[in-house]
Amino acid sequence: MRASGGASPRPAPPKRSATPTTTKLPVPASSSLAMPAPRLAHLRRLLSLHSPPPHPLAPSPARPLRPSFILPRAMAGAAQAGAATGSAEYEEVLGCLASLIKQKVRADTGNRGNQWELMAKYLQILELEEPIARLKVVHVAGTKGKGSTCTFAESILRSCGFRTGLFTSPHLIDVRERFRLDGLDISEEKFIRYFWWCWNKLK
């Protein structure tokens, strides 16, 4: 059928094949440029159209997210990502830690975070004045890059043979990320033991 004005008829669209097409990765013909077979197979697996596996923290019907539980748990660093064993006592510790967090801005007159005399009193109760005085501390302050600078400095000192302790804040997943002794996170058992020691003395 011809349209008015003498225009030529449109060609019919090509029929689509019922079988899906697959795209093959180009492999150079030259043996000097050819990718090794194991690496090529791995690359093909990475580029396959299979859906990625679910994230370990993703909600599932067996483990739905509870909004009222998320905020204090995240603030206390209890988003586990498989790093900790998640014992019942550790969960209790994280709950106690979350109970200490107050939603106040720094300018609030009720904010006691900048009362250094209160911190000195806590150190007296814990009998930590002398041990802390014996430490050689590098305190990094500023706006950006404090955590990176501390991490670099700790790594350099440890590689030179020094015994190191590193504290950075905030953490990303687990609250124990804040404390590193000789480059290693503090264990869950040690964190629980020293937390209750401190909590019971200061409560």
Side-chain angles (χ1 to χ4, degrees), residues 38-120:
R39 187 176 298 176
L40 182 61
H42 179 65
L43 186 58
R44 281 180 175 148
R45 282 196 299 271
L46 292 177
L47 296 177
S48 65
L49 299 180
H50 297 296
S51 59
H55 192 275
L57 293 180
S60 64
R63 186 184 58 188
L65 289 177
R66 291 173 287 173
S68 62
F69 185 65
I70 293 174
L71 183 59
R73 183 180 169 95
M75 289 163 57
Q80 297 290 323
T85 59
S87 65
E89 188 176 9
Y90 189 65
E91 296 292 330
E92 184 183 358
V93 164
L94 294 175
C96 293
L97 192 59
S99 69
L100 302 175
I101 300 174
K102 307 297 183 186
Q103 294 295 325
K104 291 183 180 180
V105 297
R106 293 186 179 183
D108 193 319
T109 56
N111 189 351
R112 306 171 72 187
N114 57 354
Q115 296 185 12
W116 305 113
E117 66 277 4
L118 190 62
M119 178 62 70

Side-chain angles (χ1 to χ4, degrees), residues 142-159:
T143 305
K144 298 289 185 183
K146 298 182 294 294
S148 301
T149 302
C150 289
T151 303
F152 293 150
E154 186 274 337
S155 178
I156 293 169
L157 291 171
R158 182 160 38 89
S159 66

